[in-house]
Amino acid sequence: MDGGENGSENVEGEVERVSTRAAGVLRFSEEPDPAALMQLVQLRATDPEAAYRRRGAEAATRWLHETDSSELRVPFPYVTPEDWSSSLGVWVADQRRYYAAGTLEASRVEELERLGMVWSVHASA
């Protein structure tokens, strides 16, 4: 094989297959587009959803400690300090929405319940 778009020959003569998109980004004979390279790395090498869940759980734990609360009843507009530039209130609302839709994994439900998640603010009021 000549090392075209869908594969490249390695030292032993075996063909290594990569997607056409990845092959275009990973060509070293030309300067890669930084945005395309970053998008490839984010999609292939990291799990942004897991990072979002982890940061949310950490912020929720911190909020519980700071407010000395046993229930995860975060006001919707609550925004965490600068070290996590997102809204904890929105994160909690997202978790409730996923739960109501039945798309939240059982392990996540258990983790959130250990934190004291209030699944329905109206029902618990």
Side-chain angles (χ1 to χ4, degrees), residues 84-119:
W84 189 50
S85 60
S86 188
S87 169
L88 179 58
V90 170
W91 182 84
V92 169
D94 285 346
Q95 304 313 299
R96 288 184 182 127
R97 186 169 37 89
Y98 301 147
Y99 177 78
T103 59
L104 200 58
E105 298 170 2
S107 61
R108 294 282 303 136
V109 172
E110 290 172 13
E111 178 186 1
L112 290 166
E113 286 179 344
R114 281 192 304 270
L115 287 173
M117 175 60 108
V118 175
W119 293 113

Side-chain angles (χ1 to χ4, degrees), residues 22 25 35 46 52 74 84 104 109 112 124:
V25 172
T46 62
Y52 176 71
V74 181
W84 189 50
L104 200 58
V109 172
L112 290 166
S124 68

Side-chain angles (χ1 to χ4, degrees), residues 12 22 40 47 54 60 70 78 88 125:
E12 292 86 27
L40 178 70
D47 185 356
R54 186 177 55 253
S70 61
Y78 179 80
L88 179 58

Side-chain angles (χ1 to χ4, degrees), residues 64-91:
L64 286 165
H65 179 72
E66 289 175 4
T67 61
D68 198 30
S69 179
S70 61
E71 291 185 327
L72 195 54
R73 189 190 297 253
V74 181
F76 186 78
Y78 179 80
V79 177
T80 57
E82 301 82 36
D83 61 330
W84 189 50
S85 60
S86 188
S87 169
L88 179 58
V90 170
W91 182 84

Side-chain angles (χ1 to χ4, degrees), residues 1 8-16:
M1 185 166 254
S8 62
E9 195 168 317
N10 67 15
V11 177
E12 292 86 27
E14 298 174 356
V15 175
E16 297 175 353

